[in-house]
Amino acid sequence: DSGVTQTPKHLITATGQRVTLRCSPRSGDLSVYWYQQSLDQGLQFLIQYYNGEERAKGNILERFSAQQFPDLHSELNLSSLELGDSALYFCASSSGTGDTEAFFGQGTRLTVV
Amino acid sequence: GNSVTQMEGPVTLSEEAFLTINCTYTATGYPSLFWYVQYPGEGLQLLLKATKADDKGSNKGFEATYRKETTSFHLEKGSVQVSDSAVYFCALRRKNTGFQKLVFGTGTRLLVSP
């Protein structure tokens, strides 16, 4: 158990819909990262937050957004969903200082039908 | 930019065979290097890491040595088990800042048969 909790584990939704994925980082970790894992794109970095502030942005679509709340949990919002958004979405956390490793949650598998 | 290249899979081995999964990287400066493993249906777990040249990371019988001269971090294990079947990801991260993301390779699937 990495200590990073992601909910829900599975999500099935229709095209055009909006969903919210939730991540609770390890206790004490200030930095949260979101990754998308798909068969054709591999593991793609989406976005990073540190203590409530956006720190880095990767290949995140405009239809996607994220935030980190004062209690440090994070949410990834995906809207106007397309079939191609079907993927495994991972959250990872780290202390955010120095050269520390990142710990990954078990992921949320999103299926868009 | 920073990137990681891994050998294509799947790698298919018999139990007790020797394993090598190649990983090379391109990076500014000298990053930290990682191997993560993803077992079926699970998230990524850190397997081992190395933070400077000539460092050897090791865990659960797996080893990898940070080779600056060849920009490589190949994963090895002397005798694989069926339970090692998983997808292995090589990754890098720039050092000395907590704000740098992990950059992953495409992953290499390992299949070990009894």
Side-chain angles (χ1 to χ4, degrees), chain B residues 33-55:
Chain B
L33 301 173
F34 305 84
W35 277 100
Y36 279 82
V37 58
Q38 184 179 26
Y39 297 103
E42 298 187 13
L44 281 78
Q45 302 174 26
L46 179 66
L47 182 59
L48 53 84
K49 69 176 183 180
T51 58
K52 62 182 188 297
D54 300 325
D55 264 3

Side-chain angles (χ1 to χ4, degrees), chain A residues 38-54:
Chain A
S38 59
L39 282 174
D40 54 343
Q41 296 286 330
L43 264 167
Q44 297 284 316
F45 169 73
L46 296 178
I47 198 164
Q48 178 195 3
Y49 279 82
Y50 176 78
N51 203 19
E53 292 186 10
E54 182 185 303

Side-chain angles (χ1 to χ4, degrees), chain A residues 36 45-47 57-66 76-82 84-85 89:
Chain A
Q36 179 194 57
F45 169 73
L46 296 178
I47 198 164
K57 233 175 182 176
N59 301 322
I60 187 165
L61 299 171
E62 284 191 14
R63 300 183 285 109
F64 296 0
S65 64
L76 179 67
N77 300 296
L78 316 176
S79 61
S80 303
L81 285 167
E82 302 174 359
D85 298 326
Y89 291 84

Side-chain angles (χ1 to χ4, degrees), chain A residues 4-8 20-25 31-37 43-49 56-60 64-68 72-78 88-93 104 107-108, chain B residues 101-102 104:
Chain A
V4 178
T5 304
Q6 288 188 250
T7 56
T20 297
L21 313 183
R22 182 187 170 102
C23 170
S24 294
S31 198
V32 169
Y33 310 76
W34 286 98
Y35 285 83
Q36 179 194 57
Q37 185 181 34
L43 264 167
Q44 297 284 316
F45 169 73
L46 296 178
I47 198 164
Q48 178 195 3
Y49 279 82
K57 233 175 182 176
N59 301 322
I60 187 165
F64 296 0
S65 64
Q67 54 184 328
Q68 186 179 27
L72 301 177
H73 90 272
S74 177
E75 293 181 356
L76 179 67
N77 300 296
L78 316 176
L88 198 49
Y89 291 84
F90 284 111
C91 169
S93 74
F104 282 75
T108 293
Chain B
K101 62 182 184 290
L102 282 163
F104 286 92

